[in-house]
């Protein structure tokens, strides 16, 4: 992915020290005005816009991981996620950090969705129970950014946020540390981020814990089960 081409050239050349402008993310104005700024660009419609941060939350056992896997796998095999006709699906690569399922769980869900040994899932980089450093730490954020850049992915999915951090998952400080150390770094490099979370006892009142969980992302989705399937509601957006 690399650094955004609209930024200015490095102010220092030391191989050991980051360039000052890479830390400040200064805008190169000629490049900025010559670049196309289209808000309607999607990695996986309707869940993951390009270069954005997203939170998807749901009550326990509502099926969020299954729906999310359906959307991600479809996008990575260049199929229309959820059979939508809104936008053409481009070829994308996604890194999925799964902190919850087992191999048997993953097999069951993929086969239920119609995938198997015949399917080319090479664009879906699936990390099952990863042992990365906590993502609310500088070390964890740097490890994930390096991995995402090595794989050249368009998006990273963290499922779920509570298992990927070392701080109290419902604390505002933990969420801010996750954004500062991980999400912000990925977003600055043009990589979208989607994290999943649990709702409180009343799903209508939002995500479990701190209201800061709505502040660090561009879009918040609530997923609830209905008598005929699931309902996806956008509760917050920039």
């Amino acid at each position: 992915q690399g650094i955004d081409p609209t930024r200015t050239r490095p102010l220092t050349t030391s191989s050991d020290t980051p360039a000052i402008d890479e830390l400040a993310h200064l805008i190169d104005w000629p490049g900025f005005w010559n670049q196309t700024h289209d808000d309607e660009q999607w990695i996986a419609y309707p869940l993951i816009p390009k270069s954005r941060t997203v939170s998807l939350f749901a009550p326990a056992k509502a099926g969020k991981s299954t729906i999310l896997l359906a959307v991600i796998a479809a996008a990575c095999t260049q199929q229309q996620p959820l059979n939508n006709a809104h936008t053409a699906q481009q070829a994308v690569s996604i890194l999925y950090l799964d902190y919850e399922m087992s191999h048997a769980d993953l097999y069951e869900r993929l086969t239920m969705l119609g995938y198997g040994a015949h399917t080319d899932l090479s664009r879906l980089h699936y990390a099952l129970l990863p042992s990365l450093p906590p993502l609310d730490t500088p070390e964890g954020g740097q490890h994930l950014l390096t991995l995402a850049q090595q794989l050249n992915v368009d998006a990273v999915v963290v499922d779920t946020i509570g298992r990927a951090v070392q701080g109290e998952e419902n604390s505002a400080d933990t969420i801010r540390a996750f954004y500062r150390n991980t999400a912000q770094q990925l977003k600055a490099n043009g990589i979208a981020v989607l994290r999943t979370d649990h709702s409180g006892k009343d799903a209508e009142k939002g995500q479990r814990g701190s209201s800061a969980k709505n502040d660090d992302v561009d879009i918040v989705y609530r997923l609830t089960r209905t008598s005929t399937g699931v309902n996806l509601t956008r509760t917050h957006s920039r």
Side-chain angles (χ1 to χ4, degrees), residues 94-113:
I94 298 175
L95 171 59
Y96 195 121
L97 305 182
D98 182 348
Y99 287 87
E100 295 194 339
M101 290 200 292
S102 66
H103 282 85
D105 295 329
L106 179 59
Y107 177 84
E108 178 183 10
R109 293 183 184 184
L110 283 173
T111 53
M112 178 185 67
L113 294 169

Side-chain angles (χ1 to χ4, degrees), residues 14 36 59 63 102 124 179 198 211:
S14 170
T36 299
S102 66
L124 174 53
Y179 178 76
H198 300 290
S211 61

Side-chain angles (χ1 to χ4, degrees), residues 131-145:
S131 298
L132 291 168
L135 300 185
D136 54 341
T137 66
E139 183 183 13
Q142 185 57 55
H143 273 70
L144 182 53
L145 176 60

Side-chain angles (χ1 to χ4, degrees), residues 8-129:
T8 56
R9 300 174 68 180
L11 301 178
T12 63
T13 58
S14 170
S15 60
D16 298 325
T17 305
I20 297 172
D21 67 321
E22 289 186 8
L23 297 177
H25 299 170
L26 299 176
I27 291 292
D28 166 38
W29 290 115
F32 176 85
W33 293 118
N34 287 327
Q35 191 178 40
T36 299
H37 299 277
D38 183 1
D39 286 339
E40 195 68 12
Q41 295 185 51
W42 292 88
I43 292 171
Y45 183 85
L47 277 181
I48 309 178
K50 185 177 180 180
S51 303
R52 297 286 187 173
T53 53
V54 180
S55 176
L56 171 66
F57 73 94
K61 310 303 180 184
K64 71 176 182 301
S65 293
T66 300
I67 294 296
L68 182 56
L69 180 59
V71 170
I72 298 304
C76 289
T77 53
Q78 211 167 348
Q79 302 176 68
Q80 298 296 95
L82 306 181
N83 296 318
N84 84 82
H86 175 82
T87 182
Q89 179 59 53
Q90 304 299 315
V92 296
S93 296
I94 298 175
L95 171 59
Y96 195 121
L97 305 182
D98 182 348
Y99 287 87
E100 295 194 339
M101 290 200 292
S102 66
H103 282 85
D105 295 329
L106 179 59
Y107 177 84
E108 178 183 10
R109 293 183 184 184
L110 283 173
T111 53
M112 178 185 67
L113 294 169
Y115 298 100
H118 62 283
T119 311
D120 180 8
L121 291 173
S122 59
R123 290 180 175 273
L124 174 53
H125 305 280
Y126 205 99
L128 193 60
L129 303 177

